[in-house]
């Protein structure tokens, strides 16, 4: 299957990543991606950039890179009501937004609470992707999640870094199987994301595709195969 895009990447601005914007985009171009997205962690993540970082993307001049470039954020979900860590004014300045649960920001709750946090975040019209929803630290109701994502026209991520050996979210593969089964059941679209924190990982979705293939998941529900299909999910 063709893989044309990667929109879950982090630069040195996120505080725990190791390449620059230029290095990430250059690598994406070298790997013949059609589109790359930079999605720094929101300000609630320890060491990440402040809110003002997200207000000046006009200086990037995306058309000058010889590759499609979109600028977004990986928002931190702050509570079970689905609140995120950028105000509405900043969210309107993003090309797209991923919303994720991170244990450095919010303690895992019950399955019902975690599911509510993700579903409520999806109802924010500026949220386009739910990041690593198969994180075993946050048990969720995958049926409810897949139904809500379909209804809200939000993508669920198949996060490559979660499935690597010695990944920081061990057990994600088995949960990913459950996630994809629910998505297949409801016709919910997914997106592969590298979650790259260094340029060498940009566009690497090897483990995500292995999971997709192992689950016999329909290609038409994977938006990485079409930039236009991905952009149809943007607010």
């Amino acid at each position: 299957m063709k893989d044309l895009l990667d929109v879950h990447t982090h630069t040195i601005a996120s505080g725990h990543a190791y390449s620059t914007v230029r290095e990430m985009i250059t690598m994406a171009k070298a790997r013949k991606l059609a589109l790359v997205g930079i999605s720094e962690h929101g300000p609630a993540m320890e060491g990440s950039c402040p809110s003002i970082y997200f207000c000046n993307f006009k200086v990037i001049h995306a058309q000058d890179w010889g590759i499609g470039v979109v600028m977004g954020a990986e928002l931190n979900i702050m509570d079970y009501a689905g609140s995120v860590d950028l105000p509405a004014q900043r969210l309107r300045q993003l090309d797209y937004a991923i919303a994720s649960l991170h244990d450095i920001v919010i303690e895992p709750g019950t399955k019902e609470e975690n599911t509510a946090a993700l579903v409520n975040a999806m109802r924010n019209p500026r949220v386009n992707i739910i990041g690593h929803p198969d994180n075993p630290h946050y048990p969720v109701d995958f049926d409810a999640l897949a139904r809500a994502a379909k209804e809200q026209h939000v993508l669920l991520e198949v996060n490559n870094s979660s499935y690597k050996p010695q990944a920081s979210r061990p057990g994600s593969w088995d949960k990913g199987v459950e996630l994809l089964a629910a998505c297949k059941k409801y016709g919910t679209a997914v997106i592969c994301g590298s979650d790259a924190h260094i340029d060498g990982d940009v566009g690497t979705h090897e483990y995500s595709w292995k999971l997709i293939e192992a689950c016999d998941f329909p290609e038409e529900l994977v938006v990485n195969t079409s930039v236009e299909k991905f952009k149809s999910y943007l607010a």
Side-chain angles (χ1 to χ4, degrees), residues 75-130:
L75 306 169
N76 294 287
I77 298 173
M78 304 301 295
D79 51 42
Y80 305 129
S83 303
V84 295
D85 58 338
L86 283 179
Q89 176 188 2
R90 290 286 184 258
L91 293 177
R92 287 193 293 270
Q93 294 170 299
L94 306 176
D95 292 322
Y96 69 102
I98 304 167
S100 305
L101 292 166
H102 293 108
D103 55 17
I104 197 170
V105 175
I106 179 173
E107 290 288 331
T110 64
K111 178 182 284 192
E112 292 74 20
E113 289 170 332
N114 299 332
T115 303
L118 295 178
V119 170
N120 288 330
M122 288 182 204
R123 293 180 177 136
N124 185 323
R126 304 305 301 184
V127 169
N128 314 105
I129 301 168
I130 295 296

Side-chain angles (χ1 to χ4, degrees), residues 33 36 48 51 69 76 85 91 101-102 140 192 210 212 216 219 228:
L33 296 185
V36 65
S48 194
S51 173
V69 177
N76 294 287
D85 58 338
L91 293 177
L101 292 166
H102 293 108
V140 297
C192 299
K210 282 182 178 179
I212 286 167
D216 194 25
E219 179 178 348
E228 292 71 25

Side-chain angles (χ1 to χ4, degrees), residues 55-62:
C55 79
N56 197 33
F57 289 152
K58 63 182 181 292
V59 305
I60 300 294
H61 299 302

